[in-house]
Every structure is written in C-alpha cells, then in structure tokens.
C-alpha cells in the first residue's frame, strides 16, 4: 500500500494511492496515518479494504492536490549521520565504527512539495536525499534479527541541513538540522511488503535539473535492521517514529568550492518505488 495525507497544511486527511495513481479517502475508517494505524494489525485492516469502495478525492496528487507529510503525529524524528562511505569522505570525516545518531525536531517536518523557506541569516543550507524508515510497533532493545518485524514501511526524506549552524556554531548537529521545513516526508509511506529489498534502492537528487546525488542504499554502511536495532537500544521506538538513514555523496558541502541553496532554485529528489519530492527554495 501507498498511504498518504492530503489537504491544506495542518488539516490533512488520510488517504491511499490507488492503482490508477488517484487518491482515495480513508477518513471514514481512520483519523490519521499515525500511531496504532501503523501497527501490523492496523495495516492489515487497511489492506483488507477495496480501494474502489473508498471515496475518490478530486485532483491529481502533487499537481493540483497538495500532499502533506506522509506520517502524522510523529513522536521521534531520528537521523543517522555519515552512513555512506562516499559522503563521509566528501565531508572530510572518518567513517564511524557504529551508527552516528542525532535528532531532527518534529517541527521541521513538511510535505514533500512544500516550499523551503531559507532560514533568516542562512548562508549554507544544503540538501540530502535519504531513505526514511517508519516504525510500526513498539520496540526496545532489539536484536538485528528482530528489527524488521517492527518496520511499517519506507518513505523519501530530504534531510535539509544548515552547515554553518550544524558544524560551526557549537553544540551538537541538531542546530543545523531542525529548522522549519528541514524534514520533508513523502509523498507516501510505502508499506514494507512492497519493497523487496530496502538495501537495493536507487536514490537521487537534482537542483535546477542538475543531478547532484545519484547513489544506492546498497552503499549504506549500516543497513535498516542494524539501524532500527541500534536506535531501540537508546530509547523506546513507537509506531510512527521515523528514522532517516543517511545520504550518499553529492551534497553541496562536499563540492569544491561548496555550493548551497539559493532563493529561486528548485530541488527534485526521489527513491525507486517510493516516489518523488519537489521543493521550491524561497528567501527567508
């Protein structure tokens, strides 16, 4: 299934994408794509519905129908740093011996096509296409062999980052990762049964039509099971929590000289089987 949230910001309704690429409304069955809806039992109930019996929503998604973040009421937005050797190299950082874990503020979450307003005073806002993992059941102290049973599905994430704030303003990376709009999710949550191998997905990002990033999740240092297990050791994971798994090479910080986002530019990014995002960059 491809589950989504559509409508004006702050008033999104739950839906699913049918076989014809049209949105079907789920609000007669659930309140949101969130929490217990994402458990194995909740997803099984949705899978049992016939999409043809659900109300058809007017409009074409990502054209004249806005999609919101594909997950609502996210409790934790966890991120993994330096999880691709090629990105660690371009950043001039050592490859980690174990996953680097930090957090993005949940107020950074945005729809997949919402405009990105550059933060006031920002001079180094950067892009990062990433595979997002959506947790489907409560998890704590998992082994790797147990981890995949707790995954509901996957989505596209743009881990937008302000590099000066992240690296040169003191403290942890969080300062450069949590600004409003720095965490677009979607366009949809794709349940894990539709993704044969999350370690074999092509992911890419363009700025103004120029390909900046072009990699594969096969390049991840730590795979999905390891990341879910690792995160569960440091805090309980709950349905609807999101883990974004790191980015391949090609970010602006790694270029010589560095290239950062400017007002008027357009980002386009996607992952095989998970859809595409588009963000217009606007002055703060």
């Amino acid at each position: 299934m491809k589950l989504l949230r559509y409508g004006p910001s702050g008033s999104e309704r739950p839906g699913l994408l049918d076989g014809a690429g049209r949105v079907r409304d789920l609000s007669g069955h659930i309140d949101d794509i969130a929490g217990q809806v994402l458990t194995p039992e909740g997803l099984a109930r949705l899978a049992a519905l016939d999409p043809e019996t659900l109300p058809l929503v007017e409009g074409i998604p990502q054209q004249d129908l806005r999609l919101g973040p594909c997950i609502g009421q996210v409790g934790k937005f966890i991120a993994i740093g330096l999880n691709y050797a090629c990105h660690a190299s371009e950043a001039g950082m050592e490859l980690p011996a174990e996953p680097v874990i930090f957090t993005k503020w949940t107020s950074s979450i945005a729809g997949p096509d919402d405009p990105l307003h550059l933060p006031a005073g920002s001079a180094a806002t950067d892009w990062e296409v990433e595979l997002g993992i959506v947790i489907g059941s409560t998890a704590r102290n998992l082994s790797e062999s147990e981890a995949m049973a707790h995954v509901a599905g996957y989505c596209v994430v743009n881990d937008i980052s302000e590099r000066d704030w992240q690296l040169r303003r003191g403290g942890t990376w969080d300062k450069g990762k949590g600004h409003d709009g720095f965490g677009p999710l979607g366009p949809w949550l794709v349940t894990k049964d539709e993704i044969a191998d999350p370690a074999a997905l092509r992911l890419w990002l363009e700025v103004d039509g120029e390909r900046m990033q072009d990699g594969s999740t096969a390049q991840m240092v730590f795979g999905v099971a390891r990341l879910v297990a690792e995160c569960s050791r440091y805090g309980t994971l709950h349905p609807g929590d999101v883990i974004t798994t790191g980015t391949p090479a090609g970010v602006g910080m790694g270029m010589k000289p560095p290239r950062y986002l400017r007002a008027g530019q357009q980002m386009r990014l996607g992952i095989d089987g998970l859809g595409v995002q588009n963000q217009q960059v606007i002055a703060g």
Side-chain angles (χ1 to χ4, degrees):
M1 287 184 295
K2 293 181 174 66
L3 302 175
L4 54 86
R5 301 168 71 247
Y6 70 93
S9 178
S11 301
E12 292 92 348
R13 296 164 67 92
L16 62 77
L17 197 71
D18 67 18
R22 301 294 300 273
V23 173
R24 299 283 177 163
D25 181 66
L26 283 170
S27 58
H29 297 271
I30 57 174
D31 293 329
D32 202 354
I33 307 296
Q36 295 303 303
V37 169
L38 299 168
T39 64
E41 298 78 13
L43 293 178
R45 285 192 288 271
L46 294 183
L49 299 173
D50 179 358
E52 296 297 320
T53 67
L54 300 171
L56 183 64
V57 178
E58 185 177 351
I60 304 299
Q62 299 188 275
Q63 293 185 27
D64 56 353
L65 176 63
R66 176 187 178 269
L67 298 186
C70 58
I71 308 298
Q73 306 171 49
V74 175
K76 288 188 285 299
F77 193 3
I78 302 168
I80 308 299
L82 305 176
N83 197 30
Y84 288 72
C86 53
H87 175 55
S89 176
E90 71 175 351
M93 299 180 183
E94 292 186 8
L95 202 61
E98 60 181 74
V100 174
I101 299 173
F102 61 96
T103 58
K104 290 177 74 75
W105 299 2
T106 54
S107 55
S108 73
I109 293 172
D113 309 309
D114 289 347
L116 170 66
H117 293 264
L118 293 173
S122 167
T125 298
D126 205 347
W127 54 82
E128 294 190 10
V129 60
E130 305 196 1
L131 172 69
I133 305 166
V134 180
I135 299 299
S137 55
T138 302
R140 60 176 65 87
N141 294 321
L142 296 177
S143 67
E144 287 190 51
S145 63
E146 297 170 319
M148 297 305 293
H150 294 266
V151 173
Y154 306 97
C155 66
V156 181
V157 178
N158 191 354
D159 176 20
I160 299 167
S161 309
E162 213 299 341
R163 301 302 189 188
D164 284 340
W165 300 356
Q166 176 189 355
L167 301 171
R168 288 178 280 277
R169 295 290 293 271
T172 64
W173 287 4
D174 298 41
K175 283 184 179 179
K177 295 285 189 172
H179 195 274
D180 293 357
F182 274 23
L185 302 181
W188 27 75
L189 161 67
V190 180
T191 52
K192 66 180 178 182
D193 58 291
E194 292 199 6
I195 302 299
D197 184 359
L201 302 175
R202 180 167 169 256
L203 65 172
W204 53 271
L205 182 144
E206 298 173 348
V207 177
D208 288 344
E210 180 181 356
R211 185 63 55 97
M212 301 297 191
Q213 294 184 273
D214 200 341
S216 168
T217 55
Q219 300 168 306
M220 289 197 297
V221 178
F222 305 106
V224 170
R226 172 69 186 275
L227 295 177
V228 173
E230 193 82 15
C231 290
S232 79
R233 296 182 188 129
Y234 303 113
T236 300
L237 301 176
H238 297 98
D241 286 347
V242 176
I243 302 171
T244 188
T245 59
T247 199
V251 301
M253 176 180 64
M255 297 179 181
K256 301 188 187 308
R259 294 171 60 180
Y260 295 119
L261 293 168
R262 305 184 309 275
Q265 291 186 311
Q266 181 85 26
M267 285 184 286
R268 186 170 184 267
L269 58 146
I271 302 179
D272 286 354
L274 301 182
V276 173
Q277 298 184 358
N278 294 274
Q279 290 116 29
Q280 182 77 24
V281 183
I282 295 175

